[in-house]
Amino acid sequence: MRPARAIALSWGLLVLVAAAVTSPAVGISRDEGVYVEAAGSYARFWPEALRNPAGALAAADRFYGPNHEHPGFAKGLFAVTRTVLSRALGLTGEVQGARAGAWLLAAFLAMLLALWGFELAGPWGGGLAPALFFLVPRNAWHAHPAALDLPVTSLMLATTYAFWRSTSASRGRLSTAGWAVASGLLLGAALGTKHNAFFLPPLLFAAWLLGSFRGRQESHGPASEGAIGTVRGHRFPWALVAMALLGPAVLVATWPWLWHHTVPRIQAWLGFHLRHENYPWMYFGSLMREPPFPISYPFVVTALTVPAAILVAMLGGVVQSVARIVAAVRGRAPQVSIPTEWLLLLSALFPIALVAWPTVPHFGGVKHWMPAMPFLALLGARALVRTGRLLWPRRPGAVIGALAALAFAPAAWQVAHAHPFGTAAWNELAGGAAGAATMGMQRQFWGDSTVAVLPALNVHAAPRSRIWFQETPALAARQYQRDGRLRGDLLVAAGPEDADISIWQYHQEFRDREFRTWTELRTARPVAGAYLDEVPLVQVYARPGFWR
Amino acid sequence: MRLRTRGSLWPPRDVAWAALLAIAVAAAGIHGLWFQAALPGRLPSPTDWKAAASVLSREARPGDAVMLAPAWAERAREAFPGRLPFLPDIEDLTGIRRVWLLSLPDAPGGVGRFPAQLAARSASIERPLRLGELELTRHDLAAPALPLWSLTDRLAESEVDAGGATVAREVREVAFLPRTCVLARWPGPVSGPAVIRLPPGPVGSSLRLRAVLVGDTSTGGGSASARLRVDGLEVARADAAPGRVSWAPSTFDATRLPPAAREVTVEIVPDGILSRGVCVELVALP
């Protein structure tokens, strides 16, 4: 096996196994509960459609009705893995079964990073790039849930990689035209996962345009010799044509809800996101409710959540990329592919810049600009490798290995330390969860930390107690019950007024709920809790007599 | 010579940039390792919490309260005796004689501003008691404000003409902090003000009236005012409007009134349709 493939397969396997092993400790977040439920419904569609093709259209509306705020591809994958692992084989519960689809996409992302890292910087690049991505605690956390942010990140990376291969000189079995077709199909899968993939074709086009300015560089370089067409002397990548044709086709094909009233439903889907509610979000002690939001937000949150040494490597990679472009344009670096540099650089910066825009919703932590992270990882890996080669040309591996150890050891420690509370992870520059709490940053989101108090609830809650789960939706509570994680006799309460036990998940914007709990349950003293570095994430309150 | 030296240093060679990046990565990595390794030693253990709870169980008395530094260290609520109140901030110390400051002196991010503010309002400060990674310090307040009475405490004995509202004692969020108050809510159309008549009694030297809207801010507008009447005469008013989130009181100086039992009435007047609750508190100081 070729070294690149061996490294990629090793990384894919490692991420898959690690995600599967550590997943049960990760709680069900608010969105995930909906997606798992939707996957259950979608799973019933395809057998029905195959059995009765004439009734497929009617069945599409029936089974794809749940959760049409987001498309069908990733949730369809969750449906497949859930059906196979949970229903057919009985190996997992329904939640872990659905999550397996997300683990596969996380493994796919790791493999792509290894392959691309290898092409950019050799074996060390292939080894380092996935580590730079997955040893960021929030990225590692997102590899677990059956949600959409890591899957779309993975598919956007895959699309970009296919685009790059389609525009580069042919190497390997697949022709550059084949890569162009692949980029169209992958874009469709990305669009079929989450709407932020719509930004990808313009971004790729912009990178292509910028890359066409060569300055004093004489040759075209290696990243513009593939599937390139010419119209009136202007060169263009065929991949963009494939994306325009195949992307929407795959989106519609993998989302049967669009098979009826296609255009109005696409309008409704995009309209929902264009007018999306701004959830309140804490930032340096202020609750951001309405735009304009601070431009600094994604930059600062990135700087305070990515482990510092990895952050430095990524910043080094960005600086190196800029320097390579400048040198190439000045005619001093003939070996540099300017289109490749622009592709990596824009892909690394645009998602962050997009969320920095003051009217774009700022909730959700790093997940909304996660598509930038693989590219920052690639740039960081290449920068570390180049550093090793420059500092000790005869034994670069010694330097690279030492730097990798110094960068990854504290990061791996942070990942393990924050697990399973990934959305509450802050880096050492922030002072960890404690320092971030003092600064008044968002403590966590959306209800997954409840999983940490389920064992106590199972032991101590009085029979048939009514539980107010707050940010953990009733759907998730029932999924915990069906998977045997939560006692089946416990009931879901709608608020503190009819609750015997209240599971308060710390959200500054919902603090009134905790205080209402004190009034209704006549106590301000929790009976249990979950803490990260002594910072409360969850506190459980109980009426007298309901906690035994 | 100088030109040659400058020429060799600028522009920096690639190897210089590489060295800079290597040093930065190494420094950040070593700092990260140190931070993770040192973190458990900077935070209290279960034993520390138990020790602090034991001290407070033994030494706390009526009129005492606990203040946390940093404010997020609310594991204390779970660990400490339930009868001890927790102070959400330094602004309102009404009814408190002594404050037990519980701090995490080595916690990342520091202890915040409370210790210094509390020290400024204290007559004496006991020597801090170190309990592992917790520190317990007793502050005896210089001028404790012990109320004669409060509206929340006397609500049960008051005559309430609710005007279509529900009126109850509750703890609600005001500027992210818990405040105990009398909450008036109009679940249906507003039919009139809610009027609370307290039994006649002394009013002391001053009356402090507070009113603020609480509850879901997304549920719409509407405002209200709380009007304080003494012997039928309006003497103070506190306005509660959507954009105004303040627990600062409107104060009526009662020193000019001859000492006698006074009839005190609080009128909560909604202005139009009011979807949120009005949180009102009145305190009489001696």
Side-chain angles (χ1 to χ4, degrees):
Chain A
M1 191 185 291
R2 287 181 192 168
R5 286 185 192 166
I7 294 171
L9 278 174
S10 304
W11 261 111
L13 199 61
L14 178 67
V15 167
L16 186 64
V17 171
V21 168
T22 55
S23 176
V26 174
I28 303 170
S29 61
R30 200 169 71 177
D31 287 1
E32 188 189 18
V34 176
Y35 302 150
V36 168
E37 213 62 25
S41 180
Y42 299 175
R44 292 194 288 278
F45 167 76
W46 293 102
E48 177 81 14
L50 289 173
R51 207 168 27 246
N52 177 21
L57 276 178
D61 268 13
R62 193 162 75 248
F63 292 115
Y64 271 80
N67 186 236
H68 43 73
E69 288 84 5
H70 290 291
F73 179 80
K75 285 179 283 176
L77 180 62
F78 304 157
V80 171
T81 55
R82 175 182 156 157
T83 303
V84 172
L85 293 175
S86 178
R87 281 204 197 142
L89 300 176
L91 291 175
T92 66
E94 64 182 56
V95 175
Q96 302 306 323
R99 283 181 175 183
W103 309 336
L104 286 172
L105 286 170
F108 182 48
L109 190 149
M111 292 170 68
L112 283 169
L113 279 174
L115 284 174
W116 207 343
F118 194 101
E119 297 202 42
L120 290 174
W124 277 104
L128 297 183
L132 282 163
F133 181 86
F134 282 102
L135 291 180
V136 175
R138 295 200 181 205
N139 294 351
W141 183 86
H142 278 285
H144 297 97
L148 307 179
D149 298 291
L150 192 127
V152 81
T153 299
S154 178
L155 291 164
M156 286 172 73
L157 173 68
T159 310
T160 309
Y161 179 72
F163 173 85
W164 180 68
R165 289 295 298 265
S166 80
T167 58
S168 306
S170 180
R171 56 191 189 284
R173 279 187 214 151
L174 195 58
S175 68
T176 55
W179 280 109
V181 172
S183 71
L185 296 171
L186 286 164
L187 177 71
L191 290 173
T193 297
K194 203 169 178 186
H195 58 280
N196 42 348
F198 274 109
F199 291 105
L200 194 48
L203 178 72
L204 298 176
F205 185 56
W208 172 261
L209 284 181
L210 287 167
S212 64
F213 175 70
R214 301 288 161 77
R216 293 183 201 160
Q217 194 180 47
E218 288 176 2
S219 73
H220 277 308
S224 56
E225 297 165 359
I228 311 297
T230 308
V231 174
R232 292 181 187 168
H234 298 289
R235 294 153 52 82
F236 69 93
W238 278 112
L240 289 175
V241 177
M243 287 183 196
L245 296 174
L246 295 175
V250 174
L251 165 70
V252 174
T254 56
W255 194 7
W257 187 69
L258 293 183
W259 294 359
H260 275 300
H261 316 295
T262 306
V263 173
R265 285 186 175 182
I266 288 176
Q267 286 174 334
W269 164 49
L270 295 178
F272 171 80
H273 292 287
L274 287 171
R275 293 182 290 274
H276 199 288
E277 176 186 354
N278 289 299
Y279 300 130
W281 212 252
M282 285 299 287
Y283 184 58
F284 287 115
S286 296
L287 198 57
M288 301 187 295
R289 287 184 188 276
E290 294 296 333
F293 300 117
I295 291 171
S296 64
Y297 176 77
F299 301 101
V300 171
V301 173
T302 301
L304 296 182
T305 54
V306 175
I310 288 182
L311 183 73
V312 169
M314 288 173 167
L315 286 175
V318 169
V319 172
Q320 187 201 24
S321 185
V322 172
R324 283 165 68 89
I325 291 172
V326 171
V329 168
R330 287 179 173 177
R332 291 182 193 157
Q335 81 287 0
V336 167
S337 163
I338 297 175
T340 301
E341 294 304 326
W342 277 116
L343 186 65
L344 294 171
L345 198 57
L346 286 192
S347 300
L349 298 180
F350 175 76
I352 303 177
L354 180 67
V355 178
W357 194 259
T359 54
V360 171
H362 275 40
F363 59 85
V366 301
K367 71 188 185 108
H368 287 162
W369 61 92
M370 199 190 288
M373 298 305 287
F375 296 95
L376 288 170
L378 286 168
L379 291 175
R382 190 179 66 181
L384 288 179
V385 173
R386 176 82 177 138
T387 296
R389 287 175 183 158
L390 281 169
L391 290 182
W392 198 355
R394 282 195 300 172
R395 294 192 63 192
V399 178
I400 299 166
L403 288 177
L406 281 169
F408 297 156
W413 199 339
Q414 284 179 39
V415 169
H417 180 73
H419 182 73
F421 306 121
T423 64
W426 294 87
N427 70 8
E428 63 270 47
L429 300 179
T438 301
M439 284 193 284
M441 306 303 262
Q442 184 77 21
R443 201 170 287 183
Q444 63 184 334
F445 58 95
W446 295 111
D448 60 287
S449 304
T450 292
V451 73
V453 297
L454 294 184
L457 206 59
N458 288 332
V459 170
H460 296 289
R464 298 188 60 74
S465 294
R466 298 181 62 81
I467 319 287
W468 186 31
F469 286 94
Q470 300 188 36
E471 277 303 285
T472 305
L475 277 177
R478 295 194 184 99
Q479 286 157 2
Y480 283 131
Q481 287 181 319
R482 288 200 294 272
D483 280 354
R485 309 283 302 274
L486 178 66
R487 263 172 37 202
D489 65 297
L490 299 176
L491 306 167
V492 176
E497 297 80 7
D498 70 335
D500 305 314
I501 294 171
S502 169
I503 301 178
W504 155 247
Q505 296 128 69
Y506 191 97
H507 274 247
Q508 191 77 64
E509 68 273 27
F510 301 141
R511 203 77 210 263
D512 196 41
R513 297 180 183 178
E514 184 184 25
F515 306 149
R516 281 168 58 207
T517 300
W518 294 359
T519 301
E520 293 295 336
L521 272 56
R522 300 187 186 286
T523 179
R525 187 181 186 188
V527 292
Y531 305 86
L532 179 60
D533 299 339
E534 293 304 309
V535 177
L537 300 178
V538 181
Q539 290 189 306
V540 182
Y541 294 94
R543 280 187 201 279
F546 283 86
W547 195 259
R548 299 175 173 184
Chain B
M1 177 69 180
R2 204 190 306 163
L3 277 177
R4 201 186 308 158
T5 307
R6 198 200 285 170
S8 66
L9 290 175
W10 193 264
R13 289 178 300 156
D14 286 353
V15 71
W17 288 111
L20 186 65
L21 181 62
I23 290 167
V25 169
I30 290 165
H31 173 256
L33 284 170
W34 169 82
F35 177 82
Q36 288 300 133
L39 189 57
R42 299 170 69 182
L43 298 168
S45 67
T47 314
D48 300 342
W49 285 110
K50 278 183 193 158
S54 169
V55 171
L56 286 175
S57 297
R58 199 173 56 241
E59 307 232 344
R61 52 188 206 216
D64 285 7
V66 177
M67 177 167 270
L68 303 172
W72 51 258
E74 291 181 282
R75 187 195 276 265
R77 290 187 187 283
E78 189 184 335
F80 287 1
R83 61 189 162 83
L84 262 178
F86 284 76
L87 291 173
D89 69 353
I90 201 78
E91 305 305 327
D92 185 8
L93 299 178
T94 311
I96 304 300
R97 287 177 192 275
R98 307 191 308 175
V99 177
W100 294 87
L101 179 72
L102 182 89
S103 58
L104 283 67
D106 299 323
V111 293
R113 58 195 161 82
F114 285 166
Q117 291 176 335
L118 187 58
R121 295 181 63 172
S122 301
S124 67
I125 304 171
E126 271 210 344
R127 209 171 139 194
L129 178 64
R130 187 81 186 211
L131 303 158
E133 281 304 313
L134 289 174
E135 203 169 77
L136 200 54
T137 313
R138 202 189 81 203
H139 292 248
D140 294 359
L141 295 183
L146 302 175
L148 284 177
W149 49 262
S150 69
L151 180 65
T152 47
D153 289 342
R154 298 187 74 190
L155 181 65
E157 62 194 68
S158 302
E159 181 190 327
V160 179
D161 178 2
T166 59
V167 176
R169 177 191 162 120
E170 294 198 13
V171 183
R172 297 304 295 259
E173 185 245 59
V174 177
F176 305 134
L177 300 174
R179 301 294 185 190
T180 304
C181 63
V182 170
L183 189 79
R185 254 181 314 205
W186 280 262
V190 173
S191 57
V195 181
I196 305 165
R197 291 186 192 85
L198 285 87
V203 294
S205 64
S206 70
L207 290 164
R208 290 182 184 172
L209 178 69
R210 296 176 166 97
V212 66
L213 294 180
V214 297
D216 189 353
T217 54
S218 66
T219 55
S223 58
S225 61
R227 295 162 194 187
L228 171 64
R229 295 182 195 278
V230 176
D231 293 339
L233 194 68
E234 183 175 319
V235 294
R237 175 179 169 147
D239 292 319
R244 187 177 175 276
V245 186
S246 168
W247 199 237
S250 298
T251 303
F252 167 61
D253 181 1
T255 50
R256 283 170 298 169
L257 295 176
R262 304 280 169 190
E263 192 171 275
V264 175
T265 305
V266 176
E267 202 174 286
I268 307 168
V269 186
D271 183 9
I273 297 166
L274 190 59
S275 50
R276 298 168 66 191
V278 190
C279 185
V280 177
E281 176 60 313
L282 175 67
V283 171
L285 294 176

